[in-house]
Amino acid sequence: MASVVSELEGTLLNDPDPFSYFMLVAFEASGMIRFALLLLLWPGIWLLNAFGKEDVGLKVMAFIATAAVPESEIKSVARAVLPKFYMDDLNMNAWRVLSSHGKRVVVTKMPRVMVERFAKEHLQADEVIGTELIVNRFGYATGFIRGNNKHLADHVKKFFNGEQPTLGLGRPSSSHSVLSLCKEELHPPFTSLQKDDNQHHLFPHPVIFHDGRLVKRPTPSTALLILLWIPFGMILAIIRITIGIIFPLRMMPHVSRIFGGNIIVKGKPPRSPAGGSNGLLFVCTHRTLMDPVVLSTVLGRRIPALTYSISRVSEILSPIPTVRLTRVREVDAQKIKQELSKGDLIVCPEGTTCREPFLLRFSPLFAELTDRIVPVAMNYRVGFFHATTARGWKGMDPIFFFMNPRPIYEVTFLNQLPVEATCSAGKSPYDVANYVQRILAATLGFECTNFTRKDKYRVLAGNDGTVSYTSLQDQIRKVVSTFKPFIQF
């Protein structure tokens, strides 16, 4: 069986510098102070690398990013946050060479815990060899790492049990270490390699779920921009939220432009049915908690929205009525019927948000209860901060959304489903739900999946995504965790 050993930095990843990934760990696992401190030390780290002391620079980054951080938190970031940024920087030509071999080993100078999940789940690596993060008996990282070039080479020899790997992928400057163990070496760029379009391994497993607040990978320049923007962003968010409370919904599309926001509307918004009949059910894709609010803003009226597991704070701050579902089918069906008898209603049948260009499975419950279904494709663009979270406190989602310099929402109205495409014509609820999912995905250029809310939260947070507020202590704990990125070292 052909085997391959590939370096991660500068080979599978285009960027040879792991600094931005340590910045992500610093921000997501610890807080803004550690994030800022690591950025402050970047010039010194750059000088160390320039004078050939990369090992020392690596140890400094690892110490600042991980010292006194629970190992579980680092693993959580490696599971939920880092894969998206690795995938965005993936060298596809290098990946094709890697995936064309039967036995695959990825070698990294970063701590193995930061890379292993991504390499094994998305690159289908058989083994990941890297430095080891030293953890004390209480489960906290000491900040020190174990391993060097010789350590990595010894682990490669041990994995192959004395056999010589077929191919080594890496930068020429690394040929004296791990790559020298291989029969053949290949160095970037890999532009002319593996052109067979019929091979099944042309694409790695996509990242469908990811978490974390940062939109862009925090390279030194990007991280500096983020730090400089945060004070202004907080002030801007307060102004935007205050305006949203004071001004009527009809004025918001015009007022929001003054403060950098924009709502792009496509299609023709439908009119509500005549009095005496049930209202329209707007079936939306779910990108952020702002979806129903933006839709109500576009329509110019306060339309109630069905909610699943949003925080109580979000419900209190919401400018539109919210109807909390119980996830008990009979109870929820009765609630939805009751609300539709009063007028229009908004539902996001995915049950949770998804950032990537995928749609989760649609719950068929909405299709059973009405034939007045209007699909609405919602999408958004932000520059600095994501407006959703699985690991953090959802009450901060609107604030992070409004902290972005120029948040943009796109609302696309599709035609109301004809009666023959609904359950009234004998269609099954599942067929109707799948049909609505398909036409919304086609409108946005997304892919349909069978994943559910539970799948997302099991991947990102290790739970089923249900928000429970059982005590004042729990409330306080969540508030503290919200401000953790800004105050914790």
Side-chain angles (χ1 to χ4, degrees), residues 148-415:
N148 50 32
N149 284 338
K150 184 178 183 303
H151 163 87
L152 301 180
D154 289 342
H155 275 68
V156 171
K157 290 179 183 178
K158 183 177 179 181
F159 177 78
F160 285 99
N161 198 23
E163 296 183 7
Q164 193 173 13
T166 307
L167 181 65
L169 305 180
R171 294 167 294 163
S173 59
S174 301
S175 60
H176 65 279
S177 56
V178 174
L179 299 188
S180 62
L181 303 175
C182 305
K183 296 178 182 178
E184 183 183 355
E185 297 179 18
L186 285 178
H187 308 298
F190 307 103
T191 52
S192 62
L193 301 174
Q194 300 300 320
K195 295 285 187 176
D196 185 359
D197 292 335
N198 295 319
Q199 296 185 53
H200 70 279
H201 52 255
L202 283 179
F203 299 100
H205 290 172
V207 176
I208 297 177
F209 303 123
H210 71 96
D211 203 27
R213 290 296 188 183
L214 297 183
V215 172
K216 299 179 179 179
R217 183 162 59 94
T219 59
S221 58
T222 301
L224 180 60
L225 283 175
I226 291 171
L227 284 173
L228 293 176
W229 174 255
I230 282 176
F232 299 100
M234 288 181 172
I235 295 171
L236 186 58
I238 293 172
I239 293 173
R240 286 168 169 167
I241 292 173
T242 302
I243 288 174
I245 295 173
I246 296 174
F247 285 85
L249 286 176
R250 289 183 181 275
M251 296 183 61
M252 288 311 301
H254 309 288
V255 175
S256 63
R257 292 192 183 97
I258 300 174
F259 295 94
N262 192 19
I263 300 176
I264 301 171
V265 182
K266 301 177 182 178
K268 186 177 180 181
R271 293 183 178 180
S272 296
S277 60
N278 286 342
L280 297 173
L281 182 62
F282 293 94
V283 179
C284 305
T285 55
H286 203 8
R287 308 303 284 171
T288 78
L289 291 179
M290 297 295 296
D291 295 335
V293 177
V294 172
L295 179 56
S296 291
T297 299
V298 170
L299 295 173
R301 59 186 187 273
R302 299 172 73 247
I303 302 176
L306 300 175
T307 64
Y308 293 89
S309 295
I310 68 171
S311 70
R312 293 292 186 188
V313 173
S314 295
E315 288 182 330
I316 293 171
L317 294 177
S318 174
I320 62 174
T322 59
V323 181
R324 178 177 282 263
L325 298 182
T326 63
R327 301 196 188 276
V328 177
R329 189 177 185 82
E330 295 75 15
V331 175
D332 290 343
Q334 185 59 38
K335 281 189 176 184
I336 295 173
K337 287 180 180 178
Q338 183 178 354
E339 291 296 327
L340 284 172
S341 67
K342 301 176 184 177
D344 297 343
L345 189 63
I346 299 173
V347 63
C348 300
E350 291 172 276
T352 189
T353 58
C354 183
R355 297 175 180 175
E356 292 303 291
F358 299 92
L359 294 187
L360 307 186
R361 189 175 72 197
F362 277 28
S363 167
L365 180 60
F366 74 90
E368 301 175 14
L369 305 177
T370 183
D371 58 4
R372 299 176 181 271
I373 299 172
V374 180
V376 183
M378 310 288 293
N379 204 1
Y380 79 113
R381 299 194 300 272
V382 290
F384 281 161
F385 306 107
H386 283 297
T388 60
T389 182
R391 298 163 54 250
W393 185 36
K394 297 178 183 298
M396 287 292 289
D397 287 355
I399 296 174
F400 273 104
F401 176 79
F402 287 118
M403 282 178 63
N404 285 286
R406 187 169 172 77
I408 298 175
Y409 242 99
E410 295 181 3
V411 182
T412 304
F413 291 96
L414 279 64
N415 293 329

Side-chain angles (χ1 to χ4, degrees), residues 26 35 123 151:
F35 181 81
L123 305 185
H151 163 87

Side-chain angles (χ1 to χ4, degrees), residues 9 18 34 76 95 97 121 131 329 341 391 393 438 474:
E9 300 86 358
R34 195 186 294 257
S76 178
W95 150 250
V97 177
E121 292 195 3
T131 56
R329 189 177 185 82
S341 67
R391 298 163 54 250
W393 185 36
R438 287 197 302 272
D474 290 336

